Amino acid sequence: MAIQIGRGGPPDPVRDHLAEVRRALMRLHKTLIDSERPRFEQRRGESVSNTQLLSALLEDAFFQWMRPFSQLMVAMDEALFGDEPVTLEGARGFVQQVHALVEQGEDLPPDEQPPYERARNRDPAVLFAHTELTRRVAAALLAYGDAAA
């Protein structure tokens, strides 16, 4: 069952596009966790419980590169579920942050690529989630009147 992100009442395309980007970002984040968990466990030399994984996601240097994804999702949730309406400028800013987060380092040589880019190149599930997210980002930016879409 999907979480309904809306306030009822008349349609709000600004909020709706931001909610779609948020959902796609959450799917990508989950896919990244699923992709990186075996690598983390291999590095540790043992399997980890879900509780240990959560702790590692928050504290272990291995997952440090994923924290901006988590922080951005939290900020988006606060905007979407907060008391104040989501403004066009606020929504555009969040979507641009998502775009910047997932588009860095793609033109670098493989040995210089950031961990996200390596995960995207290594795991087809991450690439699929990335592609879906970038489609949602492009649609949102186009709807927000951003020429970069």
Side-chain angles (χ1 to χ4, degrees), residues 14 17 88-100 134-149:
V14 170
H17 280 286
L88 175 61
E89 295 77 24
R92 182 184 289 129
F94 282 125
V95 174
Q96 289 171 338
Q97 287 178 59
V98 170
H99 182 263
T134 56
R135 286 181 57 240
R136 300 289 181 189
V137 164
L141 291 175
L142 187 63
Y144 298 159
D146 191 316

Side-chain angles (χ1 to χ4, degrees), residues 55-111:
S55 179
L57 286 165
L58 295 171
E59 300 169 1
D60 196 285
F62 182 87
F63 291 108
Q64 183 172 350
W65 66 272
M66 287 182 62
R67 292 190 191 114
F69 290 84
S70 306
Q71 292 163 349
L72 186 51
M73 287 187 308
V74 168
M76 291 170 82
D77 284 350
E78 288 173 351
L80 286 165
F81 295 110
D83 295 331
E84 299 296 319
V86 177
T87 65
L88 175 61
E89 295 77 24
R92 182 184 289 129
F94 282 125
V95 174
Q96 289 171 338
Q97 287 178 59
V98 170
H99 182 263
L101 192 60
V102 299
E103 295 299 330
Q104 56 185 326
E106 61 185 15
D107 296 328
L108 295 172
D111 58 329

Side-chain angles (χ1 to χ4, degrees), residues 5-136:
I5 301 176
R7 296 174 177 261
D12 184 348
V14 170
R15 173 180 282 282
D16 294 344
H17 280 286
L18 182 59
E20 288 298 316
V21 170
R22 175 194 165 270
R23 283 187 200 98
L25 180 60
M26 288 181 69
R27 284 190 292 271
L28 174 63
H29 188 259
K30 169 75 167 93
T31 304
L32 286 168
I33 292 169
D34 292 345
S35 178
E36 293 299 303
R37 182 178 189 159
R39 297 182 67 242
F40 176 71
E41 290 175 336
Q42 183 179 25
R43 193 187 102 211
R44 274 183 62 128
E46 62 184 0
S47 295
V48 295
S49 68
N50 289 340
T51 303
Q52 291 170 317
L53 179 62
L54 178 59
S55 179
L57 286 165
L58 295 171
E59 300 169 1
D60 196 285
F62 182 87
F63 291 108
Q64 183 172 350
W65 66 272
M66 287 182 62
R67 292 190 191 114
F69 290 84
S70 306
Q71 292 163 349
L72 186 51
M73 287 187 308
V74 168
M76 291 170 82
D77 284 350
E78 288 173 351
L80 286 165
F81 295 110
D83 295 331
E84 299 296 319
V86 177
T87 65
L88 175 61
E89 295 77 24
R92 182 184 289 129
F94 282 125
V95 174
Q96 289 171 338
Q97 287 178 59
V98 170
H99 182 263
L101 192 60
V102 299
E103 295 299 330
Q104 56 185 326
E106 61 185 15
D107 296 328
L108 295 172
D111 58 329
E112 295 178 25
Q113 291 177 342
Y116 174 73
E117 189 65 26
R118 290 192 304 266
R120 191 174 89 171
N121 290 332
R122 180 184 63 249
D123 188 335
V126 173
L127 177 59
F128 180 79
H130 168 86
T131 301
E132 181 60 27
L133 176 61
T134 56
R135 286 181 57 240
R136 300 289 181 189

